[in-house]
Amino acid sequence: DYAIANGWTTRNPLSTYRSKIEAKPILFVTHAELKSIEALTIEDETLSRIRDMFVFSCWTGMAYKDLERLKPEHISLINGQWCIIKPREKQKRNFRNTQFVPIFPVSDAILKKYSEHCNETGFLLPVPTNQHYNRILKGLAIAANITRINVTTHVARRTFTTLMLNMGLDMDTLGSIVGHTTAQTTRKY
């Protein structure tokens, strides 16, 4: 309408346009599929490392960027439980967007496995580029007989959310663990 007021046009070309928002299905690997990825016997160090990064993300809900920038100062002992407390890289300024994630035994074992990497780089995990990570994940998914979805780094985050809901975690707690800014975001799962 600004263009009409300035005489640049006589009508708004978008006045009859109606957008359609289609709900996309939430893609995740099931607990059984995750176990099959965890159980893969892998000789190649790169493949093993990428499998470990994916499994870690499945048990922490961390997005690729957050995983890539995870440092020792993000680990804290709270009431006898080791946790990751880290602002999401997506929106650092919003406190509600801080992840507060308990470290499960699977995740703890992966952190210990890569402790030497941390000594060398200051980052807890050896995360490859997102493109390389996703390319290798496709092969790992095929090796684990997961063909119903395209397994990507973001599928790990969704897998965590789904696993936690299936374990009985309530929506509000889950939303604060994964750093969702609104309950509506968590309800999609």
Side-chain angles (χ1 to χ4, degrees):
D1 295 327
Y2 181 77
I4 295 170
N6 284 305
W8 299 333
T9 186
T10 57
R11 66 177 193 82
N12 181 348
L14 299 176
S15 63
T16 59
Y17 175 76
R18 300 289 175 251
S19 66
K20 295 178 185 177
I21 299 174
E22 296 179 27
K24 294 181 190 176
I26 302 295
L27 303 176
F28 61 93
V29 296
T30 64
H31 190 250
E33 290 168 334
L34 178 56
K35 289 295 178 194
S36 69
I37 290 172
E38 291 175 9
L40 287 174
T41 303
I42 302 172
E43 300 292 325
D44 183 84
E45 185 180 326
T46 300
L47 297 179
S48 178
R49 186 174 62 240
I50 288 174
R51 184 256 324 264
D52 291 344
M53 298 307 101
F54 182 75
V55 169
F56 187 87
S57 289
C58 286
W59 286 105
T60 61
M62 297 189 79
Y64 171 79
K65 254 323 173 202
D66 298 311
L67 186 69
E68 180 185 49
R69 295 181 182 172
L70 187 62
K71 294 182 174 185
E73 60 261 25
H74 298 128
I75 307 292
S76 297
L77 186 62
I78 308 230
N79 297 328
Q81 169 72 50
W82 287 104
C83 299
I84 298 168
I85 302 173
K86 181 182 183 312
R88 292 218 38 224
E89 294 295 327
K90 187 174 181 178
Q91 288 182 322
K92 288 184 180 181
R93 288 174 264 139
N94 187 339
F95 176 76
R96 171 82 169 124
N97 219 348
T98 297
Q99 293 175 291
F100 182 89
V101 185
I103 298 175
F104 292 102
V106 174
S107 306
D108 188 45
I110 291 170
L111 286 172
K112 287 176 179 163
K113 180 177 179 179
Y114 295 102
S115 61
E116 194 59 39
H117 174 79
C118 181
N119 294 339
E120 295 169 5
T121 67
F123 293 100
L124 288 174
L125 297 167
V127 182
T129 65
N130 200 15
Q131 183 180 14
H132 181 64
Y133 187 167
N134 283 327
R135 186 175 38 239
I136 299 298
L137 274 179
K138 287 180 185 182
L140 291 173
I142 291 167
N145 293 316
I146 302 170
T147 56
R148 66 179 182 80
I149 62 168
N150 180 25
V151 178
T152 65
T153 57
H154 198 67
V155 166
R157 183 166 166 78
R158 292 173 173 166
T159 297
F160 172 78
T161 305
T162 306
L163 285 172
M164 295 301 107
L165 286 173
N166 289 338
M167 291 176 157
L169 194 63
D170 67 273
M171 288 280 190
D172 290 335
T173 303
L174 181 58
S176 45
I177 286 174
V178 295
H180 287 160
T181 52
T182 66
Q184 183 180 358
T185 305
T186 311
R187 278 193 201 97
K188 289 191 292 187
Y189 295 89

